[in-house]
Amino acid sequence: MRYLISFIILTVILDKAAHSQDNPIALVGATIIDVSNYGNQFRDLKNSLILFKNGKIFYADKYDKRKIPANAEIINVHGKYILPGLIDGFAILNSQSQANAYLYMGVTTVVGGIDSSFRGNNFLTADPSPRLERMFWVDQLFDANDTSYMAETNADVQKVSRMIDNLDSVKKAGYSIAFLHHRFPSAMYDKMVAKAKELHMATIGEMQYASYREGMQKGVQSFVHTLRFSLEAYPPNPRDTFIHYPSKQGRLFNWYLKTEERKKDTALLRWAKELSRSNTALIPTIGMIYAMYEHHDNLWKDPVAAILDSAEIHLPMNKETGKWTDDKQSWEDAKADSAMAAIYVKARCHFLTGSGTDAFGSMPGISEHIEIKLLHSIGLTKRQAIAAATNNFSIFFNWIDRGLIEKGRVADILVLSRNPLEDLNYLREIDLLFLNGNKINRTTLLKN
């Protein structure tokens, strides 16, 4: 009898799955928010019709009753607002609870960072889970306890060259992004970029000695961390100071202001203008240092934080007070980071969101929303900030399967109760969430 019941249950599950695949879903009447062209277009589509089946959108345009298949499940979303799922371009996914938190907050793609001592390991078997795009570390690794950071050697170049030669097997193992880290040598830019293009892997750079300008010119698709990619604007002495003592970033920036503030065209602004004319996007990760801000919310008070484990967060805030007490960093450092990021906005650079989760107290899903709001606070429009979390990844990483609500894209869809172009907090008001065409019960996500 037990086996008969199990067979019946399995049959019902499979029948439901088959039924859901056979029957398309029609979202009727909402406004599709335009996030194309870096958020510089304003062609929002009112009274829309979105049709999807088997995880793919096959119609997204003005409402036309004749387009709706007879067997479609029709969902009335009049008065709602629709966006593609959010993308966190620099983070980690450590556990099922973190996967749930990302999804609850509307994050349907996570760029899972390098497995490390302070971010932990990527959790590959979460279900449900955002799409996990994994990064592979391409540089000559060094002892994390060694702060000497000696300049690159020929041995470094040869070792990194062999790592690039091995990227075919890396891609087959499930990695989709090459991460050019601290000791990546300039001599390997051409080989790295060519191999990444061949394998359709995205590239993110966080180099320490290699020239960012050369990386930009050679075709690295993105740079991460404002204080890192700003090194290109500094003369050798203060640059070396930062490399050896990264916790002095606030003092470094203050030195820069004192020496350059009277100039109309500073080295940092000139570098930012170069980047604005390039095909390289910036991932500032301002949200990663949110805990350093003088006035910040206690992220543990967010409803979704109830399912998260503080042991999985690097340097978490105090759950009761929200205070953060890492004596190596300060509010001055946070102000410096934001001020520098604002210069890149002024120069009209292009951005991608990356929350930095879960370093320095940043938290899954929650910090992606903080990153979007902070990008707006330093000068991006609300629409541009949302584009940085969606379609800009289509443009810079060539992820043309996501990032927009249009025919042929995956059905990662957020249905919002209010217009986030009026208030970015409305990005949190998710009435319906679809991941690969499947409706996700957000209430269940909170039960972990």
Side-chain angles (χ1 to χ4, degrees), residues 255-300:
W255 169 87
Y256 181 86
L257 288 180
K258 289 177 182 177
T259 59
E260 297 267 313
E261 63 184 357
R262 291 183 176 84
K263 300 179 183 179
K264 293 182 179 179
D265 190 22
T266 69
L268 189 60
L269 182 57
R270 290 197 301 273
W271 165 231
K273 288 178 178 178
E274 283 187 62
L275 281 166
S276 72
R277 297 188 292 269
S278 76
N279 294 317
T280 301
L282 304 179
I283 310 174
T285 61
I286 319 172
M288 184 177 72
I289 58 172
Y290 178 71
M292 299 180 202
Y293 277 63
E294 187 174 25
H295 302 291
H296 63 263
D297 294 332
N298 183 351
L299 301 187
W300 289 109

Side-chain angles (χ1 to χ4, degrees), residues 90 118-119 206 224-229 242 246-247 249-250 253 283-297 299 313-317 322-326 328-342 354-363 366-368 370-372 374-375 377-378:
F90 197 82
F118 68 89
R119 275 200 175 91
E206 188 198 344
V224 68
H225 302 320
T226 304
L227 268 296
R228 290 292 183 193
F229 54 74
F242 174 76
S247 63
Q249 57 199 42
F253 183 58
I283 310 174
T285 61
I286 319 172
M288 184 177 72
I289 58 172
Y290 178 71
M292 299 180 202
Y293 277 63
E294 187 174 25
H295 302 291
H296 63 263
D297 294 332
L299 301 187
I313 307 296
H314 170 253
L315 297 176
M317 292 180 181
K323 291 184 178 180
W324 191 71
T325 55
D326 179 13
K328 294 180 181 179
Q329 308 288 344
S330 70
W331 166 225
E332 290 299 318
D333 296 326
K335 284 196 294 186
D337 196 86
S338 295
M340 294 177 81
S355 69
T357 298
D358 49 17
F360 305 109
S362 53
M363 297 169 70
I366 301 169
S367 293
E368 169 76 350
I370 289 172
E371 183 76 6
I372 293 170
L374 289 177
L375 284 174
S377 74
I378 62 171

Side-chain angles (χ1 to χ4, degrees), residues 57-266:
I57 298 171
F58 63 90
Y59 182 88
D61 211 326
K62 201 72 175 174
Y63 174 74
D64 184 344
K65 184 177 181 180
R66 296 168 298 179
K67 299 289 185 180
I68 303 177
N71 62 339
E73 176 188 351
I74 299 175
I75 302 177
N76 184 345
V77 287
H78 280 88
K80 310 295 184 182
Y81 297 85
I82 287 181
L83 281 171
L86 304 177
I87 300 172
D88 191 334
F90 197 82
I92 198 80
L93 195 161
N94 292 144
S95 62
Q96 184 61 59
S97 61
Q98 290 196 1
N100 287 12
Y102 280 118
L103 290 174
Y104 184 82
M105 300 299 286
V107 179
T108 55
T109 296
V110 172
V111 173
I114 306 303
D115 295 342
S116 65
S117 58
F118 68 89
R119 275 200 175 91
N121 298 323
N122 283 299
F123 184 66
L124 305 181
T125 58
D127 185 17
S129 174
R131 302 173 191 277
L132 181 60
E133 304 287 353
R134 296 165 66 196
M135 291 196 298
F136 181 76
W137 198 327
V138 184
D139 77 344
Q140 168 52 28
L141 303 184
F142 53 86
D143 183 349
N145 296 315
D146 176 13
T147 58
S148 61
Y149 298 117
M150 300 302 291
E152 66 188 49
T153 66
N154 186 59
D156 294 338
V157 173
Q158 295 306 314
K159 288 178 181 179
V160 169
S161 180
R162 288 193 291 273
M163 294 177 80
I164 296 172
D165 289 337
N166 192 46
L167 282 180
D168 295 85
S169 59
V170 168
K171 178 67 183 290
K172 290 178 182 177
Y175 293 86
S176 56
I177 298 165
F179 184 40
L180 288 55
H181 202 235
H182 294 180
R183 292 289 290 273
F184 185 90
S186 292
M188 287 290 99
Y189 275 135
D190 282 327
K191 184 173 183 177
M192 179 69 257
V193 171
K195 193 64 175 180
K197 287 181 179 178
E198 175 192 330
L199 297 176
H200 303 288
M201 296 180 75
T203 48
I204 299 176
E206 188 198 344
M207 297 77 66
Q208 192 129 269
Y209 279 101
S211 164
Y212 280 88
R213 178 173 285 105
E214 188 174 352
M216 173 195 72
Q217 293 167 344
K218 298 292 186 180
V220 177
Q221 292 167 315
S222 62
F223 297 145
V224 68
H225 302 320
T226 304
L227 268 296
R228 290 292 183 193
F229 54 74
S230 297
L231 288 174
E232 196 66 34
Y234 288 87
N237 287 343
R239 176 184 172 121
D240 289 346
T241 297
F242 174 76
I243 290 172
H244 287 281
Y245 305 101
S247 63
K248 294 184 177 180
Q249 57 199 42
R251 278 166 280 177
L252 177 63
F253 183 58
N254 288 334
W255 169 87
Y256 181 86
L257 288 180
K258 289 177 182 177
T259 59
E260 297 267 313
E261 63 184 357
R262 291 183 176 84
K263 300 179 183 179
K264 293 182 179 179
D265 190 22
T266 69

Side-chain angles (χ1 to χ4, degrees), residues 1-15:
M1 176 64 72
R2 183 181 65 184
Y3 297 109
L4 176 60
I5 293 173
S6 298
F7 175 77
I8 292 172
I9 292 172
L10 179 60
T11 302
V12 169
I13 292 173
L14 292 175
D15 179 66

